[in-house]
Amino acid sequence: MLDKLNFIKQRFDEVSDLIIQPDIMSDQKRYINLSKEYKDLKAIMDEREVYIELKNNIEEAEEIISNESDSEMVDMAKLQYDEAKDELPKLEEKIRMMLIPKDPEDAKNAVVEVRAGAGGDEASIFAGDIFRMLTKYCEGKGWKVDVVDYSEGTNGGYKEIQFEVSGEDVYGTLKYEAGVHRVQRVPQTETQGRVHTSAATVMVFPEAEEFDIEVNPKDVRIDYFCSSGPGGQSVNTTYSAVRLTHEPTGIVAQCQDQKSQHKNKEKAFRVLRSRLYEMELAKKQAEDAEKRGSMVTSGDRSAKIRTYNYAQSRVTDHRINLTLYDLDNVINGDIEKIINELKLVDNTEKLKNISDDL
């Protein structure tokens, strides 16, 4: 373990030197990547110091126990030895988890899209519930949520809604919510009291920076139209909404949330870049998942990931067979426990693949 940590320290020292070099600071993409790497390595270096201290405490205690005649000193040394021996395996496990190679996308902001699936009006209402669940979770973490585009359901909720989330490690967390969410309940529109099954699909893209993917302006058709939905006369009567069509792929991105045409265009381009970037990423994720047989982040959008059963107040995540009888809190944004369990399983899978190197 210490050999591995010392090897990482060499890289940490190298990165510490690189990020203060003028030529690196003038290269935005390289500087951002190195700054992120520095932050991750610094956290490991802090644990390395604790690891070295524990190892030294064990050696020091062993020496006192072997050579010291003063019984009081020996008792203190035994206490120090036991404490260090107890802490060391926990710290080693923590460091192993930290040594798992991080997906460079995880630190990015995210574009999230919730779409009503099969189930008519009830599916739109449920899509609205999922949107509210995700936004409450994001706000609880101090992340900023910005709606980009939406289409309201006939009886409430949304046929689809798209929003940006910005903060720390957003994509690395929200990616676990991607897939088909299924609900079993008596709809508000049901008069006979029968339980219906409806679904909503969640898609999560890492928000692409301008230097992540290059979009040729000649490939993009821009259409302007009047915004729909709430917002008063100024929103609905000016051509402030923007629709972008990437002609080589047919991908469409639009934004009508802002009163300013310029701001809507800016947002729409961010979404378009993220969609194009995600296309490439999805291929890579599918290949990686196939290689390591991942059940958590396969990149398959059609995979049914979770069921919300209202009659039993039950939430089941099918990827890891986790069932919680806490539906009210979950649907109100308390999904941290589920995401943490998914991360743990995902990291354990990754750890198996690299354990020989540790």
Side-chain angles (χ1 to χ4, degrees):
M1 176 70 80
L2 193 55
D3 288 345
K4 180 81 174 171
L5 289 171
N6 288 338
F7 179 74
I8 290 168
K9 187 178 185 301
Q10 291 175 18
R11 176 62 183 165
F12 174 71
D13 292 339
E14 185 184 344
V15 172
S16 302
D17 184 52
L18 281 170
I19 57 172
I20 57 171
Q21 300 301 323
D23 59 324
I24 298 292
M25 293 172 82
S26 62
D27 182 340
Q28 188 192 18
K29 183 177 181 179
R30 194 145 181 237
Y31 181 72
I32 288 171
N33 289 338
L34 283 169
S35 296
K36 285 174 184 171
E37 187 181 357
Y38 176 84
K39 184 184 166 191
D40 293 339
L41 292 174
K42 177 72 169 66
I44 296 170
M45 288 303 99
D46 290 344
E47 298 303 334
R48 174 182 173 273
E49 294 303 313
V50 179
Y51 183 83
I52 289 169
E53 188 182 340
L54 284 177
K55 281 286 202 181
N56 289 342
N57 286 350
I58 290 169
E59 284 179 23
E60 185 184 87
E62 283 175 337
E63 195 173 329
I64 292 170
I65 292 163
S66 300
N67 303 319
E68 184 59 60
S69 54
D70 186 325
S71 60
E72 198 172 322
M73 288 284 285
V74 170
D75 287 344
M76 285 174 66
K78 282 179 179 175
L79 192 64
Q80 177 178 304
Y81 178 83
D82 289 343
E83 282 178 358
K85 272 287 189 183
D86 185 49
E87 286 299 315
L88 199 62
K90 297 175 195 169
L91 182 62
E92 285 178 340
E93 185 60 26
K94 184 180 179 182
I95 291 170
R96 277 194 192 95
M97 285 295 180
M98 292 174 84
L99 291 178
I100 294 169
K102 277 199 172 183
D103 185 336
E105 312 306 326
D106 284 356
K108 292 181 184 292
N109 295 331
V111 175
V112 184
E113 190 172 295
V114 182
R115 279 187 186 170
D121 287 348
E122 165 63 4
S124 295
I125 292 166
F126 179 56
D129 293 340
I130 294 295
F131 166 68
R132 192 167 62 91
M133 177 186 83
L134 294 174
T135 51
K136 280 197 165 191
Y137 173 71
C138 293
E139 285 160 4
K141 291 188 78 72
W143 296 342
K144 188 183 175 200
V145 175
D146 273 320
V147 172
V148 176
D149 191 33
Y150 59 89
S151 171
E152 292 178 318
T154 314
N155 284 311
Y158 299 96
K159 291 175 185 171
E160 61 181 276
I161 185 162
Q162 198 173 69
F163 56 101
E164 293 175 317
V165 185
S166 49
E168 192 170 328
D169 294 329
V170 171
Y171 177 71
T173 303
L174 290 182
K175 68 182 180 182
Y176 294 102
E177 290 301 295
V180 177
H181 296 243
R182 189 178 66 162
V183 65
Q184 294 168 330
R185 67 184 176 189
V186 178
Q188 297 166 17
T189 51
E190 168 60 50
T191 55
Q192 304 294 317
R194 290 171 300 193
V195 172
H196 286 226
T197 298
S198 304
T201 300
V202 176
M203 287 177 274
V204 184
F205 318 124
E207 188 172 272
E209 308 285 352
E210 284 188 44
F211 51 69
D212 283 327
I213 191 157
E214 195 175 324
V215 180
N216 187 340
K218 291 177 183 174
D219 291 338
V220 181
R221 190 178 78 241
I222 305 175
D223 297 306
Y224 301 101
F225 59 100
C226 293
S227 299
S228 58
Q233 282 186 320
S234 61
V235 174
N236 296 308
T237 58
T238 61
Y239 283 80
S240 58
V242 178
R243 182 184 297 112
L244 306 178
T245 306
H246 186 250
E247 294 188 322
T249 60
I251 288 175
V252 176
Q254 68 180 41
C255 181
Q256 57 175 326
D257 187 55
Q258 303 292 320
K259 291 180 182 178
S260 156
Q261 189 186 87
H262 175 71
K263 285 183 179 175
N264 280 333
K265 187 176 173 183
E266 202 175 272
K267 267 190 174 185
F269 260 107
R270 282 206 299 272
V271 171
L272 181 64
R273 274 198 303 271
S274 299
R275 280 176 167 282
L276 290 166
Y277 188 58
E278 193 267 345
M279 272 179 68
E280 296 303 312
L281 191 65
K283 289 178 198 168
K284 182 178 176 293
Q285 279 179 338
E287 287 165 12
D288 290 351
E290 201 175 329
K291 279 178 200 164
R292 59 186 176 91
S294 173
M295 60 182 169
V296 177
T297 50
S298 65
D300 182 0
R301 290 178 184 169
S302 62
K304 182 183 72 179
I305 63 162
R306 196 175 299 147
T307 297
Y308 305 77
N309 184 298
Y310 274 67
Q312 299 171 14
S313 188
R314 170 175 60 83
V315 179
T316 299
D317 196 289
H318 304 289
R319 293 164 291 182
I320 53 174
N321 293 321
L322 172 71
T323 295
L324 301 173
Y325 290 90
D326 192 22
L327 188 141
D328 283 350
N329 285 324
V330 169
I331 208 72
N332 277 301
D334 188 6
I335 55 175
E336 187 77 20
K337 179 177 170 56
I338 299 172
I339 288 175
N340 285 343
E341 290 291 332
L342 288 161
K343 280 183 177 178
L344 182 64
V345 171
D346 199 20
N347 284 338
T348 304
E349 284 178 3
K350 289 174 183 171
L351 195 58
K352 281 178 191 169
N353 292 334
I354 63 163
S355 56
D356 294 342
D357 300 327
L358 302 179

